[in-house]
Amino acid sequence: MSSTPRSGSGSQAALRGLNTAALVRTLTAAGPQLQADLARVTGLSRATVSNIVGLESAAGRMRTERVLRDGRWGVRVSLVPEDWIVVGIDVGRTHLRVAGCDTARRTFGDREVALDQGHAPEDTLRLASQLLDELVADAGFERAQVRRCGLAVPASIGRDGAVVQQSVLRQWSGQDLASFASGALGIDVVVDNDANLGALAHAASAPGGNDGTLVYLKVASGIGAGIAIGSEVYRSTSGLVGELGHVRVVDGGQTCYCGSRGCLETIASTRSVVADFERAHGGHAVLDDVLAAAAQDDAVALRIVAEAGDALGRVLAVVCNLLSPDVLVLGGPLASVGKPLLDAVVASARKRALPAAIARTRFRVSEFEPRAEVLGACLLALQASGIAQGTITTK
Amino acid sequence: MSSTPRSGSGSQAALRGLNTAALVRTLTAAGPQLQADLARVTGLSRATVSNIVGLESAAGRMRTERVLRDGRWGVRVSLVPEDWIVVGIDVGRTHLRVAGCDTARRTFGDREVALDQGHAPEDTLRLASQLLDELVADAGFERAQVRRCGLAVPASIGRDGAVVQQSVLRQWSGQDLASFASGALGIDVVVDNDANLGALAHAASAPGGNDGTLVYLKVASGIGAGIAIGSEVYRSTSGLVGELGHVRVVDGGQTCYCGSRGCLETIASTRSVVADFERAHGGHAVLDDVLAAAAQDDAVALRIVAEAGDALGRVLAVVCNLLSPDVLVLGGPLASVGKPLLDAVVASARKRALPAAIARTRFRVSEFEPRAEVLGACLLALQASGIAQGTITTK
């Protein structure tokens, strides 16, 4: 880093602090500037400006974009104003979760409410809007400071922005969801599949960045995976990715809502696990009953969870053979069972995958559960607003 | 594109031709130049120089690299000298194939010889060296003009360059193959898995570039897949990718050489198909006998091929659910069967994959078979020599 005529300190760090302050002053006074102009105005070398802008961008305090000026490409630098925030919404079959996130990637005020199955998009978004108003106000922001909203849905989004068919949210199919939600919320909305956003949340939070392949498997009423390769979420042209819930694991098994038989979801989804628990124990149950029974070492509950884990591992063995991922994160409500599920998944996958393909794969239960999807939605909204990926923290 | 004082022609193409010639003259006379200096020396605008360099680089006639000069990044432009070539080697369990390729991505002189099973690396590389000498001489080049060699092997290559265990080429395991082959051939060698290179060959040759996900499935004595996402071949940290041959398709099936049972390779590899044909027809057979019988509508051969296709499709259905690829290319010796195999694969995969995940996937038999791997090896060697991907043609 080069020095400047202004600074008398010998310390590199002190020098960088002075130089950074000079850039911030200029950007505050004059607004966004070309990097080349910043060097000229401040008298700092181009290398110094470039270094500082790089460090500040990585820390989320500056933002750069390539712009065309007089027929040449330049880099325009802006301060990331601390006075705007983004919000994330995670819509499931029977839940709605919202959270806020500031430009330093600190999340705040997340809250969840239960929804009736078959909830209508307009009702759900109206409710989300109310919840967002509350959490924004509680955090001391104005609604006008909400720059963008990330929306996680248990459905695939095509390149045209429409929800692709065969979602567990049938009533949302075919919608141009981003436009619809933008209209309903009065905020710019970016939308993505919930498992993709779960993968994004975990990849962004890997210490030093995600340097390999991370697979996030969400086990809820549906079962889907998101894939992050380095810092990028894998996306297909069709919009569908990670539809592991509809891999056949039992020939001639139960009929699935997709029309096929013996799909993974007929054994390992929360719906199937609860139904199995009801059949075995008799009477009505919800997932919390299964989780509580498993926590108390109830043999029936543990066996049902182990069967689900075995089926999940059978499919994940194929994923390991194909992609040899570095990290495999189990998320979604069933992952709350913890060790009994994880152990069954790992044993089943290791038994079936080629040893060398799975040897390096680190399996774990999501540390963000049940917030992974809404955190991913916040990160997506930050990304769309020009803030690079990085570790997300809780305020 | 801006005009120059020198050119009087009104036609854009003629103008571009004159401007290109001016740049080539300068680069020929003075050697590699910064793009900014090229503009200054020739009097052409920066935009014109940038346009032409872009077009010529895409055509493989110029090469650019970012260089640091006086603390600033610039783009250095070189002519791609037509006087060097690369070669590709494809080593299989029982074959060796070599080819040459010039800097305009035109391949020449490919030839194949049969190898004994269990061939030793040093013998195979000595033979490859002899074959390369012949093909280089036949094409009118000197051995000294061979800049680099791409090497395709039916094995996984770790990040450290070593062959990872569990390859069908057991005798090659653990070797730092690139170093070993470089020493044996006296040429710089870059090495990769054969299915990865098959995927590279097809992705590079997609009209307008590969814009989605392409999966190349090689069905030989082993079964493996390569994945190209856009123009990039997917690589895992472990080095293993696409180990679909060891996905279990029959519970309690035949023992596989990997130690597991009922692996895809026990049903759909060329070894299994030939063994099944021998059992059904009696007597000794080789793959060509099966291919010939299938071509003559032999019911037994067609049924064995259909069984293999059904098993392949069962595993590819999972691949489609996971990645929803745009293109799925069948390659390797069994793919030479053509339609009977393709039809069985497609029917099986479509029956089992989620319809929306497979709807856009275009299945085809490789148009390069049996040359896909050696073409990919040539492209890898060109890439390592600074020549961008693009359509490969036959001289």
Side-chain angles (χ1 to χ4, degrees), chain B residues 62-106:
Chain B
M62 290 185 185
R63 188 154 63 101
T64 59
E65 57 189 325
R66 278 163 56 84
V67 291
L68 199 57
R69 284 284 167 79
D70 306 328
R72 293 181 56 184
W73 285 100
V75 174
R76 184 168 64 189
V77 184
S78 342
L79 280 183
V80 170
E82 297 292 336
D83 62 350
W84 60 267
I85 57 172
V86 297
V87 293
I89 301 178
D90 168 34
V91 176
R93 198 174 60 112
T94 58
H95 79 268
L96 168 67
R97 178 177 280 272
V98 294
C101 188
D102 69 17
T103 53
R105 297 191 211 92
R106 288 170 304 199

Side-chain angles (χ1 to χ4, degrees), chain B residues 137-173:
Chain B
D138 287 356
F141 291 99
E142 303 286 327
R143 178 71 177 242
Q145 291 174 275
V146 180
R147 166 84 52 103
R148 189 166 271 119
C149 174
L151 174 58
V153 288
S156 306
I157 309 299
R159 284 204 175 172
D160 58 356
V163 174
V164 177
Q165 296 287 329
Q166 264 127 350
S167 154
V168 294
L169 283 183
R170 282 170 184 277
Q171 66 281 12
W172 293 56
S173 288

Side-chain angles (χ1 to χ4, degrees), chain A residues 195-214:
Chain A
N196 282 356
L197 293 176
L200 176 63
H202 290 92
S205 299
N210 182 44
D211 172 38
T213 301
L214 179 148

Side-chain angles (χ1 to χ4, degrees), chain A residues 166 211 213 227 229 234 236-238 240-243 246-247 251 314 318 321-324 326 354 356-357 360, chain B residues 166 213 227 229 234 236-238 240-243 246-247 251 314 318 321-324 326 354 356-357 360:
Chain A
Q166 263 126 353
D211 172 38
T213 301
I227 305 165
I229 303 171
Y234 171 76
S236 71
T237 308
S238 71
L240 278 84
V241 169
E243 293 289 350
H246 302 286
V247 170
D251 277 327
R314 183 183 280 260
V318 185
N321 276 10
L322 185 65
L323 300 179
S324 194
D326 301 79
L354 197 64
R360 289 165 180 259
Chain B
Q166 264 127 350
T213 302
I227 304 166
I229 302 172
Y234 171 76
S236 71
T237 309
S238 71
L240 278 84
V241 169
E243 293 289 349
H246 302 286
V247 170
D251 277 327
R314 184 183 281 261
V318 186
N321 274 11
L322 186 64
L323 301 179
S324 193
D326 301 80
L354 197 65
R360 289 164 180 258

